[in-house]
Amino acid sequence: QVQLVESGGGSVQSGDSLRLSCAASGLTFSSYAMGWFRQAPGKEREFVAAISWSDYSHSDGITYYGNSAKGRFTISRDSAKNTGFLQMNSLKPEDTAVYYCAIDQFANPIRVGDYEYDYWGQGTQVTVSS
C-alpha cells in the first residue's frame, strides 16, 4: 500500500523560505514521478513541480516545474530514503495553499494533470503573510 506523508509546512513572512518533505512508502514501481501540487481556497489544484524515479537511466531524475515555481522553487529527492523535497524560496502571499505530494506511475515525460496521479498525501498547509 502506497503511503505519502508530507511535512514542513508552516506560517512564514513574505520572502522567507520553507522546505517541504514527502516520505513515500509501499512503492513497488520501476518508474514513477513524485509531484507537488497546491490548492488555495476557492481555486483549482495547481501543478507545482515533479521529479521522476526510474530503474532506467534515461527516465531517472527528470524534473519539471510549473510556471509559479520556476526560479523560486527547487524539487529534489533522497532516493535512499524514498523522500522528495520541495525547497521554496522567496515566498509570496500568493503561495499560500495546501501543498500535496502525489505519485504518478508514469515517469517520462512528467505529467502535470492532477488526474494522472494515483496516490496522494494528506497535504501540508503553507501560509505566507505580507
Side-chain angles (χ1 to χ4, degrees):
Q1 182 179 359
V2 176
Q3 289 191 325
L4 304 172
V5 179
E6 301 103 331
S7 60
S11 297
V12 297
Q13 298 288 320
S14 183
D16 286 349
S17 298
L18 278 175
R19 189 193 196 203
L20 306 183
S21 299
C22 177
S25 60
L27 292 169
T28 59
F29 321 121
S30 59
S31 297
Y32 59 92
M34 177 180 283
W36 287 94
F37 291 80
R38 68 185 185 184
Q39 189 165 24
K43 294 189 176 181
E44 294 186 353
R45 193 152 50 187
E46 174 190 17
F47 173 82
V48 178
I51 188 167
S52 69
W53 264 270
S54 179
D55 291 344
Y56 308 100
S57 60
H58 65 279
S59 295
D60 186 51
I62 299 170
T63 60
Y64 188 77
Y65 295 89
N67 289 334
S68 62
K70 290 178 181 177
R72 297 188 299 129
F73 296 0
T74 303
I75 192 169
S76 62
R77 64 182 185 179
D78 182 335
S79 298
K81 297 181 179 179
N82 272 353
T83 299
F85 305 99
L86 184 68
Q87 177 68 42
M88 305 187 294
N89 297 329
S90 302
L91 284 163
K92 305 174 183 178
E94 51 264 44
D95 294 318
T96 296
V98 177
Y99 284 71
Y100 299 90
C101 70
I103 296 294
D104 179 4
Q105 295 181 59
F106 191 82
N108 185 13
I110 285 180
R111 303 190 290 193
V112 302
D114 59 356
Y115 54 90
E116 307 279 13
Y117 288 72
D118 303 299
Y119 304 96
W120 292 82
Q122 81 287 353
T124 185
Q125 176 71 46
V126 171
T127 303
V128 184
S129 56
S130 57

